[in-house]
Amino acid sequence: MHHDAKFQQTGCMQYNDLIDIGVNLTHARFNGDRDAVIERASAAGVAGMVLTGVNIAESESAIALANAWPNVMVATAGVHPHHADQWSNTAAKSLEALIEQPSTVAVGETGLDYNRDFSPRSDQRAAFVAQLEIAATTQSPVFLHQRDADADFLAILREHRAALPAVVLHCFTGDQALLEACLALDVHIGITGWVADERRGAELRRCVPRIPADRLMIETDAPFLLPRNLPDPPAKRRNEPAFLPHVLEAVAALHDESATRLAESTAATSRSFFRLTGKARSGG
Ligand SMILES: [Zn+2]
């Protein structure tokens, strides 16, 4: 525990082998300085990044970016529930082709978001089921997004889980009941800087200690969800992968574990989950 006190004093330890499993690095907010963002991530010890695909075009961009950084980045390919109204037979065919790309490590983001309801719920469910079926056929890990749709989400996941090789619910923001249901379905959990939000993160902080180390991964979800434990938040409040150590240290404090040990376990869990042997493996 004295380690954690030290981290709080110094703000940030030096790491060299972190993996950020959720980075929206193709987002327009990085257009002006993407290379500098990548450099700062590397300097902060982020050795690997899983770039998030949110629709077919963005997945193609994420894969192209990952191809340009073969030892550092991999990508997911999928259609986010916000974009579920874009799902079609053509999208399905495109997704099947993108999964074959060597840089693609998972199907996603897919899932349900009844918080924003940017796409009709029936479209969200149909796109979610179709992508789980593609993941099952291709035996791809799945990268899931879920907000305020616990019952439908769990019902669909229960029906398909046995056919899927591995599943992560990224940016977990649910309650303990959802967490227990996910762990019972052998679902991995991704934790973001949400955990450092005093107000919104209270229930999440109760959940984190219950996540076994071999099911726990960390992510920034940059440019979103700037961690609120940053000593010097950037003026435009844009999150970036260089801030991953702040997520790690918040999770480590809750997990009653040193940040160094949690860095090792989350990296090992991420490599195993996304089958990163030969991909995003540098930094050791
Ligand atoms: Zn998401």
Side-chain angles (χ1 to χ4, degrees):
M1 290 305 287
H2 64 278
H3 292 289
D4 294 323
K6 190 166 134 214
F7 299 147
Q8 279 157 17
Q9 280 165 22
T10 58
C12 215
M13 281 270 298
Q14 188 55 52
Y15 306 98
N16 61 21
D17 193 31
L18 303 177
I19 296 184
D20 189 337
I21 68 153
V23 189
N24 301 275
L25 198 53
T26 61
H27 197 280
R29 288 185 75 189
F30 293 121
N31 284 353
D33 64 343
R34 191 167 284 106
D35 285 351
V37 167
I38 295 166
E39 265 177 46
R40 283 196 293 271
S42 170
V46 179
M49 296 183 233
V50 182
L51 309 188
T52 309
V54 294
N55 60 23
I56 296 299
E58 289 292 317
S59 299
E60 287 169 351
S61 301
I63 290 165
L65 184 54
N67 286 342
W69 296 83
N71 293 318
V72 181
M73 299 178 200
V74 292
T76 72
V79 176
H80 190 285
H82 289 347
H83 302 293
D85 57 358
Q86 298 171 14
W87 185 254
S88 64
N89 288 336
T90 311
K93 288 215 163 53
S94 301
L95 178 57
E96 283 163 358
L98 292 178
I99 292 166
E100 298 301 318
Q101 300 279 317
S103 294
T104 309
V105 292
V107 169
E109 292 184 46
T110 181
L112 301 174
D113 193 318
Y114 294 176
N115 179 271
R116 299 284 186 89
D117 279 325
F118 286 159
S119 281
R121 293 181 178 184
S122 56
D123 286 1
Q124 293 189 37
R125 289 188 292 268
F128 182 25
V129 168
Q131 289 178 85
L132 292 181
E133 286 170 352
I134 289 172
T137 305
T138 56
Q139 284 299 290
S140 304
V142 183
F143 189 90
L144 293 177
H145 170 107
Q146 174 329 102
R147 290 285 301 281
D148 297 351
D150 298 21
D152 284 0
F153 173 79
L154 287 170
I156 291 170
L157 196 54
R158 276 195 191 101
E159 196 174 320
H160 294 268
R161 179 64 186 93
L164 300 165
V167 176
V168 60
L169 177 53
H170 108 101
C171 191
F172 184 88
T173 55
D175 58 16
Q176 295 175 69
L178 179 67
L179 178 67
E180 296 303 333
C182 285
L183 293 175
L185 288 167
D186 193 19
V187 170
H188 285 63
I189 306 293
I191 299 293
T192 62
W194 189 285
V195 73
D197 188 308
E198 304 84 359
R199 193 169 39 86
R200 296 188 306 175
E203 177 69 9
L204 179 57
R205 285 193 295 278
R206 283 189 283 275
C207 288
V208 164
R210 308 169 77 105
I211 308 170
D214 64 355
R215 291 293 174 273
L216 174 62
M217 299 188 274
I218 54 173
E219 51 176 326
T220 57
D221 204 25
F224 314 114
L225 298 178
L226 185 73
R228 290 170 66 97
N229 59 346
L230 289 188
D232 245 332
K236 293 193 171 160
R237 305 204 58 78
R238 183 189 69 175
N239 196 6
E240 58 176 80
F243 300 145
L244 189 63
H246 298 276
V247 178
L248 172 79
E249 290 174 10
V251 172
L254 293 165
H255 228 257
D256 196 13
E257 195 154 19
S258 80
T260 311
R261 278 240 307 280
L262 195 73
E264 287 169 10
S265 73
T266 53
T269 301
S270 304
R271 287 201 167 85
S272 161
F273 182 90
F274 291 105
R275 307 161 176 166
L276 297 184
T277 314
K279 295 171 179 173
R281 66 174 191 273
S282 68

